[in-house]
């Protein structure tokens, strides 16, 4: 699946996107965030406060409990503000 990173998540990881195959035991967005956090310092820094990370699966905003099975793209971004 493709992962896309936006704003300070992208800056902290150092990538705009990447292709990954998570382990079979990673079944939800929250579990994916936890797994990514263990991939290195830059990921740990980007996801150090997972409660602030927003996610979208195939361009639809989802909660951390949402299953990732069948997802083509998962995007991660910080909370957005309007003005």
């Amino acid at each position: 699946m493709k992962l896309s990173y936006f704003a300070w998540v992208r800056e902290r990881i150092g990538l705009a996107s990447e292709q990954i195959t998570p382990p079979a035991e990673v079944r939800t967005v929250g579990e994916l965030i936890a797994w990514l956090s263990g991939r290195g310092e830059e990921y740990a820094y980007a996801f150090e406060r997972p409660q602030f990370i927003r996610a979208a699966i195939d361009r639809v905003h989802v909660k951390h409990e949402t299953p990732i099975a069948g997802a083509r793209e998962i995007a991660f971004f910080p909370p957005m503000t309007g003005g």
Side-chain angles (χ1 to χ4, degrees), residues 3-18 39-47:
L3 300 185
S4 296
Y5 307 111
F6 294 92
W8 54 257
V9 178
R10 179 188 64 235
E11 292 169 10
R12 291 177 180 188
I13 292 173
L15 296 171
S17 66
E18 63 181 320
R39 292 184 73 200
E41 286 182 29
E42 63 276 14
Y43 291 93
Y45 181 45
F47 295 111

Side-chain angles (χ1 to χ4, degrees), residues 26-57:
V26 175
R27 294 185 179 107
T28 66
V29 170
E31 291 172 353
L32 180 60
I33 289 171
W35 178 74
L36 288 168
S37 293
R39 292 184 73 200
E41 286 182 29
E42 63 276 14
Y43 291 93
Y45 181 45
F47 295 111
E48 69 184 343
R49 298 181 74 185
Q51 70 272 23
F52 294 122
I53 300 294
R54 303 292 180 243
I57 294 179

Side-chain angles (χ1 to χ4, degrees), residues 57-71:
I57 294 179
D58 298 329
R59 299 185 181 200
V60 176
H61 290 262
V62 297
K63 296 183 180 217
H64 286 203
E65 299 81 31
T66 303
I68 61 171

